Amino acid sequence: MKNRLSRYYCQYSGIVIGFGLVFTFLFGVRSYSVWQQWVPSGSALLVTLFTATLFSYVTYRLLSALNLRLFRRIGGMTSSCSR
């Protein structure tokens, strides 16, 4: 049972991290209207892209830490994952 859970988690954790990054980046892009109020419109796009990239980076680090913690907790990752 634990081996099967480890294998499924190994397969789907990358997909979950990918969706999390995409949605976080899109959330950062939605901050354009906020930045447009505070900075000139030419640089608002650059600040928006920087914000989206920063949000994505922080989300990646958090999801990777959670992923590693769950791998350790499930165990058996060396036999089923390439990490």
Side-chain angles (χ1 to χ4, degrees), residues 32-50:
Y32 178 72
S33 60
V34 173
W35 288 118
Q36 198 173 19
Q37 294 174 2
W38 295 96
V39 295
S41 66
S43 59
L45 183 62
L46 292 174
V47 174
T48 300
L49 289 176
F50 178 75

Side-chain angles (χ1 to χ4, degrees), residues 13-29 51-64 83:
S13 64
I15 295 170
V16 170
I17 288 175
F19 277 119
L21 290 176
V22 167
F23 288 128
T24 304
F25 186 81
L26 292 176
F27 178 74
V29 169
T51 302
T53 305
L54 182 66
F55 283 176
S56 294
Y57 176 74
V58 170
T59 301
Y60 175 74
R61 296 291 293 190
L62 290 174
L63 288 176
S64 293
R83 290 183 173 204

